Each structure stands twice: as structure tokens, then as C-alpha cells.
Amino acid sequence: MRREGVHLLAYTDLREWIKRLDKAGELKRVREEVSPYLEMAEIADRTAKLGRGKAAAGGPALLFENVSGYPGAKVLMNQFGSERRMKLALGLEAGDSLDAIAERIRELIHPETPVTMMDKLKLLPKLAEVGGFFPRVIAAKDAACKQVVHRRVEDGGHGIDLLKLPVLTTWPGDGGPFITLPCVVTRDPRSGKRNVGMYRMQVYDGQSTGMHWQRQKVAAEHVRDRLRAAAAQDAAARVEVMAATAGGTTAASEGAGVPATTLSRVREGRMEVAVAIGADPATTFSAIVPAPPEVEEYLIAGFLRGEPVELVRCETVDLEVPAHAEYVLEGYVNLGELRSEGPFGDHTGFYTMAEEYPVFHVTCMTHRREPIYAATIVGKPPMEDAWMGKAVERIFLPLMQLTLPEIVDVCLPPEAVFHNLMIVSIRKSYAGHARKVMNGIWAMGQAMFTKCIVVVDEDCDVQDLAEVVLRTANNIDPERDIQFTLGPVDSLDHASRLPNYGSKMGIDATRKWAAEGFARPWPQMLTMDAAVKAKVDAMWKRLGIE
């Protein structure tokens, strides 16, 4: 379909997406026998770094069709690993811009105020469009993910064996094989809203995995809400439970200050979880977006697709999953059960060390006939997630501007692993404005993890890192223009003084005003006369210099 001058090509499932990649010349079928133990990861890593530094960087998507040790299995990797594929994944044509989706978001959150009756009538199609994004639940018989159902022996089935999936071990020091591209579905116990997140899952055995719910992620908050509920109406007990469990990530023990009855309820509690692997690209991408708490990821996926996501109810848990996913895992986590997870070679370029996380117990596994396993690899950037992060940056800029309208643009360099550095240009309006923006960003959802923020004036192109370095190096007096603060940091930050808690740095690289105590004249930046530039532009090819 075509909407507001932008092509929106919704894919029903992963297989339609693969066909599109093939037709666009973006898919490489690997028929050589390759092992999911390290070999696929090495091939994907080299592929992701092809053309590094060039406009068309990122090699093709990879479909491994001869998986060593897994006869008949297929594995898709690097599906998002270039700017062009990221556009195609979100329903855009190669000539479209990711900013086109940002413009659609702006129109939704900043509609023109209707004045006349005709203006009001013009808003009706937009309201109808939003209504068309909500997911719809379909019958199990129409859901491709239900074509094959595996139940536990104790439930009358023939058993579940996750070890039959071609799950990758991506780095030599990894603690085992990890599911790396899952859509993990949980439900908010207070609001009933579903959350879809992407958390790595270490496969322990045929029926259980780790669940890497970092402390500040939404699913971890769902666990905390259940822990608080276990404390009933006793506010003091809720405080003790949070302190004793480090915010729901450490098993409470006897003598931790938690009443014995509360401790018993915590240990007996469980939370239902479902996992979809191999969904359509927009749904998979929606699992990583920093959605506002009140907005479901399924709704975001529908917005990106231009069509609602079809869901189906699970067999053994009260959750809904993408109906046409390749695999669906259903099960639960026990609130009082943790197990060592890791190490894992992470997108920081370093190993994340082993730590205790919840255990996911699988009660049912469903999949399509001849399922395709979808995976990704993270490591030293740039890798596939660099393009996913860039899409998040462009698409969700309008939501940042909704809270901080003075922001002109942002850049999250992949080399800084997104949360370690944010460059922001602003329309500076008053003394100290840059510092106000820094604090606003640190108070904004997942942006709270940002380790370093650099603020520049609106005339600086934040996507031009050479320009940013020039401005920053020349515009700051370090003692005056750098500020430090303490707060939560990403769980993957191995340099912080404590796990999940450390310092952040803000750099004010804007022009300094007299109102900020700068009394000397501020020099102008060098720019050539516009008429001279135009004349040289006209003769440039004739000069034969390049």
C-alpha cells in the first residue's frame, strides 16, 4: 500500500520477508555445511562488516540451508544488516528515508487543530488509520505457528526438546548456546497490557533457558510487581522485598528482613511467559524499540506495517503471540528461582560475565512445518544491531521531541553501543539550556542509561562526527562545561563502580553566552562566500581534480 508518499509493504511472516529479500538481491543462500557452534557467527560477523565505512555498508542477509548436526534445518541471519534492508524491513522502498516514518509519527502526535467542520472531517481518515493498527486475535486453526505442537510428557504429549533447535553459540567464551532474536511476551499484572521485549536466552537443557531480564527492563518490572503483590498490603514488607532481592533480581533468603510468610509467597509465585522466534520483521523490530509504557509493541508493529499484527492465543499460558511466527515457546518463570547465566559475548565488544537471572521453564512448543530459525550475533561494532539502532534513533526522535521540543536532532554512534554516547543538537534559548536537556534525557525511559551526552548548537550536523569532534574540542572549557551525575547504568557496563549503578557525563559544547559568564567575543566559524562556492561548483568537473 501507499501512505503519505511512502510505500508500506507489510509482510505476513518471515517467509514473505525472505522472498522479498531474495527478489531484491539482498539474500545469500549458504549451501555449504556450517555449524551453529561458532562457524555461523564468524560468517555473519564478516558479512556484517563488509563495505565498512561506505554508504552501502553491510553484506547480504544469510540463509543457512545446510546446518551441521540439524538435518533439514534453516537459519536466517543478518536480516537487518544494512540500511537498505532496514528500510525494506519497515515497509519502505530503497529510495525512501527512515525519517519518513518519523514524519508519520509527528503527524499522529501533533495533528493540526481542526477549526472548520471540513478540518474535522479531514481528521477522520487519520483516526481510522490509527484504529487499524491494533492487533487482532485469530483462530488457532488459521495460525501457522500451530502447525506442529509439542507438549510435555506429563501433559500427555511426546515431550519438548529445545536441543533440537539449531541455537547458536556465537563466541568461544559463551556459557552455552543462546537464543538471540526472541520476542518475549509478558503481561503487566496491574494494567493487563502485554509487553514484547528482546532478551537473550541461554539454553540450559531441553526444557529450560535463562531469561536475561536486565533490572530496568519492562519484563523485570513485571516480576517486581508480582514480588510486591506477594507482600500484600504491607508497605514495609514491599520495601524489604525490593531491597532483599536487589529489585527483583536476587533470590531473597532467610534473615534478609523479609517476613517468613512473604518469603514463602515469593518462592511460590510464578509468571507466565511466551516467546516467538522468527516473526515478521516489523514485529521483531518492535521488540527492541523504547516504547512509551502505555503503548503495546504489537500496536507499534501494526503502525510500522500499516496493517495489524495477527495474534493467536497460546496453548498453556494466558498470552497472545504472533500467529505466523516460526517457533513459539510457552512457559513460566518462578519468582524465587535464579540460575547462573552467561558469560555472553555482547554488543559492547566484551563478554558479559555470568550472573544470576530467572529461569524460563517451557510447558509447550509450537512451530510451523519445516521451521526457519532466526538469529543474530552481537559483538564489536558495526554489526547487524547497528542498523537496528539507527532505525530506532530516526523513528523515535519525534517522541523525544515531544518531551524536549528544543531538540533538533540526535545521533547514537554504533561504535559507542548506542547507550554509551548520545550527541544532541538543540535550539538554545537560555543560559544553562544544554544542562537542562542533559537532565531531561537522563530522566527519559531507557535513555537513562546514556553514559555520555554531548550537546551542540542547532547549526551542527550531529550525523557528521568530524564536525561534532571539531565543535566539542574547540567549544569547551573542561572544568566549566563537563558535569557528572550518578544514577542507574546499563547492566552490560563492566566499567561502572557497582553493577547497574555508576556515573554519567554531560558535555556542553554549545556556544557560551555572556549570560553564562563568558565575557570575551565568541569567534565565528570559517565559511566560504556562497557566490564563490557556486562558481567553483560549476567549474569543478572541468578542473579534473577527481
Side-chain angles (χ1 to χ4, degrees), residues 285 288-290 387-397 412:
F285 176 75
I288 72 164
V289 301
W387 304 104
M388 300 170 76
K390 178 57 70 173
V392 169
E393 172 199 294
R394 304 321 304 157
I395 293 172
F396 288 89
L397 173 60
L412 303 170

Side-chain angles (χ1 to χ4, degrees), residues 22-42:
D22 211 357
K23 183 177 179 181
E26 291 284 334
L27 181 72
K28 173 65 177 176
R29 296 178 182 272
V30 181
R31 296 185 170 90
E32 186 81 15
E33 183 177 354
V34 180
S35 171
Y37 180 77
L38 305 182
E39 292 179 0
M40 285 185 184
E42 174 64 10

Side-chain angles (χ1 to χ4, degrees), residues 7-9 11 17 80 85-92 98 101 104 281-282 285 304-305 391 395:
H7 294 282
L8 292 177
L9 306 171
Y11 308 100
W17 169 228
F80 301 110
R85 284 203 299 288
M86 197 67 248
K87 292 177 184 178
L88 290 177
L90 300 181
L92 302 175
L98 289 170
I101 298 180
R104 288 180 59 214
F285 176 75
L304 295 173
R305 290 159 46 90
I395 293 172

Side-chain angles (χ1 to χ4, degrees), residues 20-90:
R20 173 63 174 161
L21 291 174
D22 211 357
K23 183 177 179 181
E26 291 284 334
L27 181 72
K28 173 65 177 176
R29 296 178 182 272
V30 181
R31 296 185 170 90
E32 186 81 15
E33 183 177 354
V34 180
S35 171
Y37 180 77
L38 305 182
E39 292 179 0
M40 285 185 184
E42 174 64 10
I43 292 170
D45 187 14
R46 295 189 189 192
T47 303
K49 291 178 170 58
L50 290 175
R52 184 174 183 176
K54 299 179 181 178
L62 303 171
L63 184 61
F64 294 93
E65 298 182 325
N66 187 358
V67 184
S68 179
Y70 298 85
K74 294 182 180 180
V75 177
L76 179 67
M77 297 187 72
N78 205 38
Q79 60 178 298
F80 301 110
S82 72
E83 182 180 25
R84 185 185 183 205
R85 284 203 299 288
M86 197 67 248
K87 292 177 184 178
L88 290 177
L90 300 181

Side-chain angles (χ1 to χ4, degrees), residues 328-405:
V328 172
L329 310 179
E330 305 174 10
Y332 62 89
V333 297
N334 293 314
L335 299 187
E337 179 187 15
L338 299 173
R339 181 171 171 178
S340 180
E341 186 263 10
F344 178 72
D346 230 312
H347 64 188
T348 59
F350 296 86
Y351 284 100
T352 302
M353 292 295 97
E355 194 173 352
E356 290 194 331
Y357 277 94
V359 180
F360 174 54
H361 297 275
V362 182
T363 56
C364 184
M365 177 172 68
T366 71
H367 61 77
R368 299 180 65 144
R369 298 186 188 93
E370 299 180 354
I372 301 171
Y373 181 78
T376 189
I377 173 181
V378 293
K380 293 179 181 178
M383 302 194 84
E384 181 177 12
D385 61 340
W387 304 104
M388 300 170 76
K390 178 57 70 173
V392 169
E393 172 199 294
R394 304 321 304 157
I395 293 172
F396 288 89
L397 173 60
L399 297 181
M400 293 187 67
Q401 293 169 325
L402 192 64
T403 303
L404 297 169

